[in-house]
Amino acid sequence: MTHTKADDLRLIPSVDEVLSTPAVQIIAQQTGARRAVDFVREAVDEMRKEILSANGGHSDHSRDGLLLLVAERVQRIWQERNLTRLRKVINATGVIIHTNLGRAPLSDAAKNAVLEAAGYCNVEYDLSTGKRGKRGERVESLVAELTGAESAIVVNNCAAAAFFILSVFGKGSGVVVSRGELVEIGGDFRVPDVLVQSGSYLKEVGTTNRTKLSDFERAIGENTAMILRVHPSNYRIVGFTETPKLSNLAELAHSKGILLYEDAGSGALIDLTPYGLADEPHISQSIADGADLVSFSGDKLLGGSQAGIIAGRSELIAQLRKHPLYRALRVDKLSYAALEATLESYARGNALTDLPVLKALSMNYEEIEHRAKGFIARLESKLNNGNTLTFDLIDGESVIGGGSAPDVHAKTRLITVRHNSLSADETETRLRQHTIPVISRIVDDMVVIDLRTVDEADEVVIAEALKAL
Ligand SMILES: *Cc1c(COP(=O)(O)O)cnc(C)c1O
């Protein structure tokens, strides 16, 4: 007997029937009844369209069979929706400041601080007087202590910091920038565009590769408010290059009665030259060199939460604090909590062991190889997989990421994963769609895992994801 489309359409289960299947009941408990009904309607609709389309997809023509198929669709729809939920992932890419994966992972102390501040907390309350207190007081004094700056203020991110400073001190005036520093930092942050938005005028000087102090000097006129130095974070000009020292720019600015502002981007609070990061501005050096204001990100090399930290002279910081824009750009209590705990690690001298970004950065080749060998040995004894998976070690490079230090490639030891029937792409996808997603890379048609960016406690998650292959 052949089935017509009309026969099949009559077999499609009702929304209530699908809702009462055990699988959909579980989903309804997780997502709420109203959304479960939406998913079921969507699944039933899909089924109806498929039957009506010329090459109707399914071959099961029983009522129970169709019910099962629709319930499976509901599960798939729920899983797809769930992939967009903000959740923990394992960063096995070796990209330390991975912007797509949330940049800097917080230290344990910072995570605990966020949890504690999530309830009521003294963010703007003075416990000694019982009156209104100053927001961010502790973080700001830590920044001052760690950079040697007179004062500090925190806004939403470094882009906001640059916009804020240029708006408050540059509006209606000229801002002098070297042509070698008119950079674009990841998509939406272009120095000339930020200047336009702030209402200041760009006075570009020098050439792409060479700008001299005299170029700056000639450009400074009646209506010049400041010299802007931008750290070209994500690219390098090499070869025949020249740019004035920050201390010389400071001298020039001050002799003309204008400001020197440095957008340091990532910036470093401690000396990172032992790890190859000689080019990143050391914030305390910039302050010592005479920069009036320096801005840097909270979640790049600093290793904390998203923030734009501004350090500099107290009278300028006070002007920023009083400006109406501050209210629009300020950060919330959770950011202060995370930053405070992060900066405390620096103040105690424990940054290299406390902060995941600096731990990853300072891990050397031998340590990573040692961990990788131990990991493979534990995996092989646990998997007992009869050649389904083959692991090897190869040399590779980890990346700093986050638009910092593009020319630094830390040597690493990568674990290669080969599956006897899945392709590299399929393996990568399956790991990515594990209950706790494991994000890996593909090198030479092999999935590779770089333990540099993996917390030791998360190795078991990778082992489980591999086992599930
Ligand atoms: C990264 C960066 C920014 C933007 O910082 P966010 O904190 O991402 O807003 C601005 N300027 C420079 C030089 C940077 O490197």
Side-chain angles (χ1 to χ4, degrees):
M1 192 182 129
T2 58
H3 285 261
T4 64
K5 280 181 185 175
D7 292 335
D8 276 347
L9 285 174
R10 271 193 294 278
L11 289 177
I12 293 179
S14 72
V15 169
D16 282 342
E17 276 175 292
V18 184
L19 270 176
S20 58
T21 59
V24 177
Q25 278 295 301
I26 292 171
I27 294 172
Q29 271 162 25
Q30 292 169 351
T31 185
R34 182 183 55 77
R35 279 189 293 172
V37 170
D38 287 347
F39 297 160
V40 171
R41 289 217 172 98
E42 202 175 315
V44 169
D45 264 5
E46 268 182 28
M47 181 61 81
R48 182 174 297 114
K49 279 194 194 118
E50 236 166 71
I51 291 171
L52 286 172
S53 77
N55 47 354
H58 64 95
S59 53
D60 200 318
H61 301 288
S62 70
R63 186 168 273 282
D64 284 349
L66 277 194
L67 183 60
L68 211 64
L69 282 177
V70 176
E72 274 169 19
R73 260 158 215 261
V74 174
Q75 272 176 310
R76 201 204 60 223
I77 291 169
W78 168 232
Q79 273 159 13
E80 280 169 10
R81 297 294 146 89
N82 235 358
L83 280 180
T84 60
R85 181 174 62 83
L86 199 56
R87 57 159 93 176
K88 169 185 174 133
V89 304
I90 309 297
N91 175 11
T93 64
V95 180
I96 298 174
I97 306 168
H98 199 307
T99 297
N100 304 148
L101 302 183
R103 285 201 180 159
L106 296 180
S107 66
D108 289 337
K111 286 180 192 168
N112 290 335
V114 168
L115 205 60
E116 191 177 332
Y120 289 122
C121 66
N122 59 337
V123 64
E124 222 174 272
Y125 183 80
D126 185 333
L127 288 172
S128 59
T129 61
K131 300 218 164 67
R132 180 177 175 168
K134 190 174 148 220
R135 258 179 112 76
E137 183 160 23
R138 176 74 175 194
V139 163
E140 289 162 12
S141 67
L142 278 164
V143 173
E145 176 188 333
L146 294 166
T147 63
E150 288 173 7
S151 187
I153 190 168
V154 180
V155 291
N156 183 52
N157 56 17
C158 196
F163 171 70
F164 192 23
I165 291 171
L166 291 167
S167 303
V168 175
F169 301 109
K171 195 181 208 119
S173 320
V175 172
V176 188
V177 192
S178 160
R179 289 200 169 88
E181 297 174 6
L182 293 172
V183 294
E184 173 179 312
I185 313 274
D188 318 316
F189 185 87
R190 292 174 144 198
V191 172
D193 296 348
V194 178
L195 274 152
V196 168
Q197 285 304 317
S198 73
S200 51
Y201 305 107
L202 170 64
K203 283 189 164 186
E204 40 185 295
V205 297
T207 62
T208 306
N209 56 331
R210 284 169 73 87
T211 306
K212 301 182 171 65
L213 193 66
S214 55
D215 295 324
F216 282 94
E217 193 162 7
R218 271 200 302 278
I220 297 172
E222 276 293 284
N223 191 28
T224 307
M226 73 170 93
I227 294 175
L228 166 62
R229 155 68 66 95
V230 183
H231 179 58
S233 302
N234 51 9
Y235 90 120
R236 291 290 176 268
I237 299 173
V238 295
F240 188 52
T241 64
E242 180 178 341
T243 186
K245 283 204 191 106
L246 196 69
S247 54
N248 292 339
L249 283 180
E251 234 171 82
L252 172 64
H254 299 152
S255 75
K256 303 274 186 185
I258 65 171
L259 299 177
L260 170 63
Y261 159 41
E262 180 183 40
D263 176 10
S266 191
L269 290 184
I270 55 173
D271 183 15
L272 297 177
T273 44
Y275 316 109
L277 293 173
D279 280 352
E280 286 303 318
H282 195 169
I283 306 302
S284 48
Q285 189 61 51
S286 298
I287 296 290
D289 282 345
D292 298 293
L293 292 165
V294 182
S295 63
F296 50 103
S297 287
D299 56 355
K300 291 185 182 170
L301 284 169
L302 186 97
S305 55
Q306 179 186 302
I309 301 170
I310 304 171
R313 288 191 8 232
S314 18
E315 81 218 49
L316 302 175
I317 301 288
Q319 263 178 273
L320 291 171
R321 195 183 308 283
K322 279 199 302 253
H323 196 278
L325 258 182
Y326 176 54
R327 177 59 196 250
L329 301 176
R330 74 181 194 186
V331 300
D332 75 326
K333 60 180 180 178
L334 303 181
S335 304
Y336 280 128
L339 271 184
E340 187 178 311
T342 305
L343 294 169
E344 290 286 359
S345 285
Y346 283 96
R348 279 198 306 271
N350 294 343
L352 282 172
T353 48
D354 283 359
L355 307 180
V357 162
L358 297 186
K359 257 197 283 192
L361 186 66
S362 58
M363 211 185 296
N364 64 30
Y365 178 90
E366 286 73 26
E367 284 171 76
I368 295 174
E369 175 167 59
H370 180 74
R371 265 183 68 188
K373 281 183 173 160
F375 179 67
I376 293 180
R378 283 193 299 281
L379 259 180
E380 281 174 342
S381 71
K382 198 156 116 186
L383 277 177
N384 193 11
N385 68 29
N387 301 332
T388 312
L389 288 169
T390 323
F391 305 106
D392 272 306
L393 290 179
I394 58 167
D395 281 349
E397 287 175 342
S398 312
V399 176
I400 308 296
S404 308
D407 48 356
V408 176
H409 306 281
K411 277 193 77 64
T412 192
R413 201 76 171 133
L414 300 168
I415 300 169
T416 65
V417 180
R418 263 170 299 190
H419 193 280
N420 66 357
S421 60
L422 297 176
S423 71
D425 280 340
E426 285 163 342
T427 309
E428 185 272 335
T429 306
R430 294 268 294 269
L431 292 174
R432 174 161 37 85
Q433 296 184 349
H434 184 64
T435 334
I436 298 178
V438 174
I439 315 300
S440 60
R441 276 195 290 150
I442 295 179
V443 171
D444 293 338
D445 212 29
M446 283 180 300
V447 165
V448 300
I449 286 170
D450 188 344
L451 290 182
R452 183 188 290 278
T453 45
V454 177
D455 192 286
E456 263 168 282
D458 285 333
E459 285 180 10
V460 291
V461 178
I462 303 182
E464 277 161 20
L466 289 168
K467 216 166 143 188
L469 291 172

